[in-house]
Amino acid sequence: MSLSSNAPPSSAADAAPLHPIYAELVTQLAADLSAVTSEPALRTVHARYLGKDGEIRKRLAEALRAAPGPEKRTIGQAGNTALSRGEELFAARLNALHDAARGADLARSVDVTLPGRRTRLGGLHLLTQVRRELESIFAEIGFVVASGPQVESEFYNFEALAMPDDHPARDMQDTFYLQSPPLPGSTGGRLVLRTHTSPVQIRTMLAQPPPVRIIAPGKVYRKDDDPTHSPMFNQIEGLVVDDGVSFADLKGTLLYFARRFFGPSVDIRLRPSFFPFTEPSAEVDVTCVFCQQKGCRLCKGTGYIEILGCGMVDTAVFAHVDAERQRRGLPPAYDPENVSGFAFGMGIDRMAMLRYGVNDLRLLFAGDARFTQMFR
Ligand SMILES: [Zn+2]
């Protein structure tokens, strides 16, 4: 809003010429008025020129005193004209300031009458949701959650799991080594970003005697990068060690899991396989939930989808654990004559992809809100 929408201050000054005694004072008043931008300052200017002891009245009194008798009337009238001209200038400037303030008020970008903005609640990432679901399914049958460090020594990540330096399985887990020296007091070996969560199994068995019934979820690292492999992914592994644990227990546990996670109608099938730390070992497939085994793109026409690997814990693993327990002054507790156990492991990411039909693993890690918001 422009200040000129009201009569500009100069319009009054431009009216009939003032008596020379007052003209200069009123011109100064007009200049001072237009120089101020606040109402208090404006009123100070008013008092200085137009007040009871203001400049114009002082000039009037001086002029009256000095003037010869016949001129006193003219000078008095001219003084009153000057005063009322000054008041007009003051009123115009006051109006202009009010208009400017109102204009600024209307031009504010914040409209305080609009309803408030709702705070948007966040949600759990799909992987967190699936991990929690997996944890709770296994908790139903007595498993507790265990965790361990993502930077591991070769001992925990490989050797204790029956994968010595020259073992060919280590090539399949071509990994990320750290340049730092081994941790003080550790069993040795270089430091590595763990390639599976299995080191948590070793740590648990070193820390406690049987019975053991844990699941270990967490991030693991391998040198892979394509639509179905990422250098970092999430695994969840299970370990059960007790007196008289059998392969039937393993199969029953996995069937329970598969039906809780994929639905009560699914079945599982075990295929012989190899892992360095289990013997015998198996890959586990679940009947395809997308085509009811008629064959589809997701099961590649086979009616089955691979979901995890598993097996009975290799006695060599127990031997490594007991040797390390003895080295630490702990009593041996994992004599294969007395205990047996099974282990299994699966990708949390893969479970999420299968369950929700996500076709590119990298979507799970990209942090794109358009994707993550689909699973709120
Ligand atoms: Zn299918």
Side-chain angles (χ1 to χ4, degrees), residues 156 200-210 212 321 325 328 330 333-334:
Y156 285 111
V200 180
Q201 301 182 15
I202 303 300
R203 289 177 175 277
T204 304
M205 288 189 280
L206 289 175
Q208 67 166 84
V212 169
V321 168
R325 282 177 66 91
R328 296 182 185 189
L330 296 166
Y334 290 86

Coordinates of all heavy atoms in Angstrom, one line a residue, residues 156 200-210 212 321 325 328 330 333-334:
Y156 N 36.2 -65.4 15.5 CA 34.8 -65.5 15.6 C 34.0 -65.7 14.3 O 33.1 -66.4 14.2 CB 34.2 -64.3 16.3 CG 34.5 -64.2 17.8 CD1 35.4 -63.3 18.3 CD2 33.9 -65.1 18.7 CE1 35.6 -63.2 19.7 CE2 34.2 -65.1 20.0 CZ 35.0 -64.1 20.5 OH 35.3 -64.1 21.9
V200 N 27.9 -64.5 16.5 CA 27.1 -64.4 17.8 C 26.8 -65.7 18.4 O 26.8 -65.9 19.6 CB 25.7 -63.7 17.5 CG1 24.9 -63.5 18.7 CG2 26.0 -62.3 16.8
Q201 N 26.7 -66.8 17.6 CA 26.5 -68.1 18.1 C 27.8 -68.5 18.9 O 27.6 -69.1 20.0 CB 26.4 -69.2 17.0 CG 25.2 -68.9 16.0 CD 25.0 -69.9 15.0 OE1 25.6 -71.0 15.0 NE2 24.2 -69.6 13.9
I202 N 29.0 -68.3 18.4 CA 30.2 -68.6 19.1 C 30.3 -67.8 20.4 O 30.6 -68.4 21.5 CB 31.4 -68.3 18.2 CG1 31.3 -69.1 16.9 CG2 32.7 -68.6 19.0 CD1 31.3 -70.6 17.0
R203 N 30.0 -66.5 20.3 CA 30.1 -65.7 21.5 C 29.1 -66.2 22.6 O 29.4 -66.2 23.8 CB 29.7 -64.2 21.2 CG 30.8 -63.5 20.4 CD 30.5 -62.1 20.0 NE 31.6 -61.5 19.3 CZ 32.6 -60.9 20.0 NH1 32.6 -60.9 21.3 NH2 33.6 -60.4 19.3
T204 N 27.9 -66.6 22.2 CA 26.9 -67.1 23.1 C 27.4 -68.4 23.8 O 27.3 -68.5 25.0 CB 25.6 -67.3 22.4 OG1 25.2 -66.1 21.8 CG2 24.5 -67.8 23.4
M205 N 28.0 -69.3 23.0 CA 28.4 -70.6 23.6 C 29.6 -70.4 24.5 O 29.8 -71.2 25.4 CB 28.7 -71.6 22.4 CG 27.4 -72.1 21.8 SD 27.7 -73.5 20.6 CE 28.2 -72.6 19.2
L206 N 30.4 -69.4 24.2 CA 31.6 -69.1 25.0 C 31.1 -68.5 26.4 O 31.7 -68.7 27.4 CB 32.6 -68.2 24.4 CG 33.4 -68.8 23.2 CD1 34.3 -67.7 22.5 CD2 34.2 -70.0 23.7
A207 N 30.0 -67.8 26.3 CA 29.5 -67.1 27.5 C 28.6 -68.0 28.4 O 28.5 -67.6 29.6 CB 28.8 -65.8 27.1
Q208 N 28.1 -69.0 27.9 CA 27.1 -69.8 28.7 C 27.2 -71.3 28.3 O 27.4 -71.6 27.1 CB 25.7 -69.3 28.5 CG 25.1 -69.5 27.1 CD 23.6 -69.3 27.1 OE1 23.2 -68.1 26.9 NE2 22.9 -70.3 27.2
P209 N 26.9 -72.2 29.2 CA 26.7 -73.6 28.9 C 25.4 -73.8 28.3 O 24.5 -72.9 28.4 CB 26.9 -74.3 30.3 CG 26.4 -73.3 31.3 CD 26.8 -71.9 30.7
P210 N 25.1 -75.0 27.7 CA 23.8 -75.3 27.2 C 22.8 -75.3 28.3 O 23.2 -75.5 29.5 CB 23.9 -76.7 26.6 CG 25.4 -76.9 26.4 CD 26.1 -76.1 27.5
V212 N 21.1 -73.7 24.9 CA 21.1 -72.4 24.2 C 19.9 -72.4 23.2 O 19.7 -73.4 22.5 CB 22.4 -72.3 23.4 CG1 22.4 -71.1 22.4 CG2 23.6 -72.1 24.3
V321 N 34.7 -74.4 20.3 CA 34.2 -73.6 21.4 C 34.7 -74.1 22.7 O 35.2 -73.3 23.6 CB 32.6 -73.7 21.4 CG1 32.0 -73.2 22.7 CG2 32.0 -72.9 20.2
R325 N 36.9 -72.1 25.4 CA 36.5 -72.0 26.8 C 37.6 -72.4 27.7 O 37.8 -71.8 28.7 CB 35.2 -72.9 27.0 CG 33.9 -72.3 26.4 CD 32.7 -73.3 26.6 NE 32.4 -73.5 28.0 CZ 31.5 -72.7 28.7 NH1 30.9 -71.8 28.1 NH2 31.3 -73.0 30.0
R328 N 40.2 -70.0 28.2 CA 39.8 -68.9 29.0 C 39.6 -69.3 30.5 O 39.0 -68.5 31.3 CB 38.5 -68.2 28.5 CG 38.7 -67.6 27.1 CD 37.4 -67.0 26.6 NE 37.6 -66.5 25.3 CZ 36.7 -65.7 24.6 NH1 35.6 -65.4 25.2 NH2 37.0 -65.3 23.4
L330 N 37.5 -71.6 31.4 CA 36.1 -72.1 31.7 C 36.0 -73.6 31.5 O 36.7 -74.2 30.7 CB 35.1 -71.4 30.6 CG 35.0 -69.9 30.7 CD1 34.4 -69.4 29.4 CD2 34.2 -69.5 31.9
A333 N 31.9 -77.5 28.0 CA 30.4 -77.7 28.2 C 29.8 -78.2 26.9 O 28.6 -78.4 26.9 CB 29.8 -76.4 28.6
Y334 N 30.5 -78.3 25.8 CA 29.9 -78.6 24.6 C 30.5 -79.9 24.0 O 30.8 -80.0 22.8 CB 30.1 -77.5 23.6 CG 29.2 -76.3 24.0 CD1 29.7 -75.3 24.9 CD2 27.9 -76.2 23.5 CE1 28.9 -74.3 25.3 CE2 27.1 -75.1 23.9 CZ 27.6 -74.2 24.8 OH 26.8 -73.1 25.1

